[in-house]
Structures are given as structure tokens and as C-alpha cells.
Amino acid sequence: MLCQECGKRPATLHFTKIVNGEKNEFHICETCARERGEMLPGTSGGFSIHSLLSGLLDFETAGKGMASSVKTPQSLRCEECGMTYTQFSKIGRFGCSSCYKYFGDRLDPLFKRVHGNTVHVGKVPKRSGSRIQLKRQIDDLKLELQRRIQQEEFEEAAQLRDRIRTLEKEMAGQ
Amino acid sequence: MPNLRFTEKALSEWMRGTASDSDIVISSRVRIARNLQHMPFPLLATRQQSEEVLNRLAQVAETPNLKSLGTFYTVKLDEIEPIDKRVLVEKHLISPSLAGESQNGAVMISEDESVSIMINEEDHLRIQCLYPGFQVREAWEKATAIDDLFEAEVDYAFDDKRGYLTSCPTNVGTGLRASVMMHLPALVMTQQINRILSAVSQVGLTVRGIYGEGSEAIGNLFQISNQITLGQTEYEIIDNLHSVVLQIIEHEKNARARLMNDSRLRITDRIKRSYGILSYAEVMDSKEAGQRLSDVRLGIDLGIVQGPSIPVMNELNVMTQPGFLQKKYGHDMNSEERDIYRARLIRETLAKA
């Protein structure tokens, strides 16, 4: 097969691009590929993670028939930077940190798909984060408390309950 | 006059060091993405806002705490030539996107080039630590320490539920991307690589070419990194990568041993041919250079090639990139010219080694 760009050299690079179910095949030779890719390494091809993401997001908004209950209102937008959900789903990037707040739980399916999770469990900032650390500690203790109660270890459970109360007071005081 | 010391030499100081498993793992890298509160992400920031971000973060670099980590040199991307940007990308000191499309983009690079702090990339702040060999945990320790220093001075965009907020939803949560660059010629030769790489993607990791997203694997070099940043702790992310890489190292070692056992003559012949061609060829395109340099690197690891050292091979990997070639010989070149200069550079370097 000859290169579809120059029509002279044999095509050695083959790739398929599928956009909205429309399939396009490309067959080009090394030299033409290199000429096209004269830009910086890593930026060639123009197919970035963002375009992949917007594919995922489009699915969210385009899923009219099947999931009308989660249909995003056209008006949903970030009050801080003005980015609309529709824009976000095209670009695949947020405009500012408040977008997370304004788009809220509507982002859960996206995070679920990308990360398999929706809630952060890692590092928290030291200065502003002590409240979060406390909250995580309390959540852990509550789980432990449930376990103890189920196993009828009431003495330990009572101790845990007291510790949880102390921590909760501490959190309320902050 | 901007500081251009980083684009003169191909070999970063940190590359000289050797570390554990540095025959198979070439380098380990950790990158943390952070943003400032109440400031639009670089995507939407006005020129004035991005300048404000740059000033805020550059101020932190002046605090005694960061200085205690060593000297940092600030390079503003607006002030340097495209060719120098390209060299910084080829040395992995900045990302292609910082070089290509940033507004008020800057990078603070440590003296030994193991730390680079990018400002106004896709996120306001990206802290990168790059170590030789298999030291992904060490790189994380360093990066998180630098993160703490910044956090003491500026307010990060952080949310109880989503963690550190980033411009791209693929980085949210920890903002952490940890990666190792592996040289896996034996797994490629024995055609086990695809099986292994697809297994890797099953456990939340991803494989890319050496210049990251969208670049192809040249010279049997593969970059393996975490895909998930939300819902796992940094420790889990690093640990997961660490244990998968250990397994890949094991597979590569076994494949090398089997190759040497079953087809020693063919492998030795292939390596020496490549060494010969690199030593004498007059024209060398980048793809062939990548493959032949990979063969010779394998030859050094297996004790078949004496002479050039692994740091020399690391240096050649960077020097034979288009940007560095043009920088070194001081003029623009088309791809045919580059192939000629590339061959010359390799010949001369190997003759000295």
C-alpha cells in the first residue's frame, strides 16, 4: 500500500480514528509522518488525552434516550469562571477550581470511569487539612466501632465511642 | 540574559549516577500537580493573572526553606529561543505543553537538574523529580517535601471530597503521576512485550513512549506510569507501580538470560553489527539510531560490548534528538541534514568512549 500523502513511498504507519462512530483510516509513510510531526515530541498527532476525555463526557450529555434522568441542563455553569458544562465536556478541562463545586456530583460518573473512584483519600494540605484528617480518623473509628459491636466486644466498643466523641468535639471546636 | 546552562550539555548531572537496576530502569520520575486558590487555571487565566501566579510562586523559591534544598535557576519560557525550549523538552526538564503553549510559563531547575518546578503549565504548579535508576520512592519523598514547602507559603485549591483540584480531570485527587522509564529489548525481541503491556494496563498503570502522552516507544524504551490519581493514597500509587516494575524487571532479566542461552550467537551478532554501524555510518535517522543504541546498551549490560558506558548511552539518547543536534551544531537542519549530523555525532562519541 502506498502512502496516501505523497503517493510515492510505501505506507508504514497505519492508524484508525473513530469519531462518533465514523471510522477513518490513515496510511502514511515514515517521511510524511515525520514532516507532519516536525513539532515538539509528544505533541504530534493531535490526539490528546483531552480529546479522549471529551469523548467520555459527550457520552454523558449525548446519552439522551437511555439516561434522561441525568441529563445535564444546558444552563449548568461555573459561577466563578463562567465555564459551562457543555464547554467543559468539549475541552475536557476545568476552567478553575470552583468548576468542581458547581458541576458537583454530576462529575461522579466521569471520575468513576477515569479513576474507578470519586473520593480523594491521599495527602491533605498540612495547614488547612487538619480538619479533614480528623474527619477521616473519626470515619475509621466508626467503622471499627460497627465491627466491634457486631462481634459483641462491647467494652472495646464503649472505648471507641468515647474516643469518637472527643474527636468530634475537637472538630466542632476548630 | 536568561540562564541557558541547561541547554548546553546533553547529560544532566543526575544522569551520571548509577542506581539499583539501572541496567533496566533508566530513570524514575514523580510529578505533582497543584493549583492556587481563587485563581483560574492557566487555560482561562488572563495574562495578568498568570503573571500574578508566576510572581507568587517565584517568591516561594526565594524563601530560605526552598533554598535549603539547593540552588534553583529560573527560566522564563518567553525569554528563550524555540531551540532551547526544545532541548529542555528533550532532556525531560519541561513538558512539551509548557514549551508549546504556556502563557507566562516558567521553570525552576535545580543545579543537578533532578528537580524542575514548572509554573503555568496546564496547572499553576507542577513539581517534578527525576532520579536515575529505579528510585521512584526516593523521587516521591523529594517531591512531597518540596510540595510541603510550597504549601507552607501559598493556599492550594483543595477540596475535602476531590482532593487537590487540577485542570484536567485525569489528575485530580493526589495530582500525582509517578513513572519509570524502562529499557526492555529482550521482551520486545521475544515478542512478550504486548502481553506484558496489556497486563500492566489492567492494574491501573499506563505505558507511553519516552516523551509522554502520544509519543511512540523508540529504542525499546517504555514509560510506565500510574493512570489513577483519585481514590488511592500516594503510598498505594507508588507501591503499586513499584511492585509491577519489579515484576517487569524480573521478566526482562529472564528473557535476556533465555536469549543468551538459546541464541547467543544471533544476539551477539546483532549487537556487534549495531555497534559497528553506529561506529561507521554516515547517515542515521532517529528511528534507526534508537534501535541501534538500544542494541548497544543491551550489549553493555550483557558484557558483549566494552568501551562505552551507560552514561554515554544516556547522553547519546538525548544528543541524537533533533533539537539537541541543531543546538550543538548551531544551525537549523532539515531531516536529511539531521541524519548526517546525527551519524557524525554518534561516530565521534563512540570513538572517544
Side-chain angles (χ1 to χ4, degrees), chain A residues 100-148:
Chain A
Y100 284 90
K101 188 174 82 193
Y102 287 104
F103 300 157
D105 294 342
R106 226 171 279 276
L107 297 168
D108 280 355
L110 167 70
F111 291 141
K112 194 108 199 131
R113 222 173 281 166
V114 175
H115 299 287
N117 301 291
T118 57
V119 179
H120 177 60
V121 293
K123 188 173 176 175
V124 296
K126 283 203 178 77
R127 280 186 303 135
S128 54
S130 58
R131 210 181 61 83
I132 304 156
Q133 269 162 342
L134 216 53
K135 188 173 170 293
R136 274 195 202 155
Q137 210 180 337
I138 294 170
D139 288 347
D140 285 350
L141 288 175
K142 280 183 178 165
L143 279 179
E144 176 76 7
L145 178 68
Q146 288 305 317
R147 204 175 58 81
R148 296 286 184 178

Side-chain angles (χ1 to χ4, degrees), chain A residues 75-89:
Chain A
S75 56
L76 188 64
R77 70 198 282 271
C78 170
E79 303 285 327
E80 185 91 17
C81 70
M83 183 174 278
T84 64
Y85 190 85
T86 317
Q87 283 171 323
F88 165 65
S89 61

Side-chain angles (χ1 to χ4, degrees), chain A residues 4-45:
Chain A
Q4 64 186 49
E5 285 281 309
C6 62
K8 293 179 206 151
R9 292 171 287 263
T12 50
L13 293 173
H14 311 273
F15 62 99
T16 309
K17 193 160 126 187
I18 303 174
V19 181
N20 295 333
E22 205 179 299
K23 201 166 145 188
N24 276 307
E25 288 187 6
F26 296 87
H27 308 278
I28 50 180
C29 72
E30 199 79 27
T31 315
C32 289
R34 217 184 308 156
E35 268 162 27
R36 282 181 154 200
E38 274 298 334
M39 306 159 277
L40 289 157
T43 54
S44 55

Side-chain angles (χ1 to χ4, degrees), chain A residues 38 41-42 49-50 92-96 100 104-105 108 115 117-120 122-127 131-132, chain B residues 41 86 96 122 144 147-148 151 154-155 158 160-164 166-167 169-170 172-173 213 229-231 234 338:
Chain A
E38 274 298 334
I49 187 83
H50 304 299
R93 282 190 280 173
F94 296 105
C96 73
Y100 284 90
D105 294 342
D108 280 355
H115 299 287
N117 301 291
T118 57
V119 179
H120 177 60
K123 188 173 176 175
V124 296
K126 283 203 178 77
R127 280 186 303 135
R131 210 181 61 83
I132 304 156
Chain B
F41 294 145
R86 187 161 182 152
E122 184 181 282
T144 189
D147 177 42
D148 290 345
E151 198 256 317
V154 297
D155 287 319
F158 182 88
D160 287 11
K161 188 178 177 196
R162 309 293 194 197
Y164 293 95
T166 55
S167 180
T170 55
V172 72
E213 207 175 278
T229 57
L230 182 67
E234 288 82 356
R338 283 205 300 268

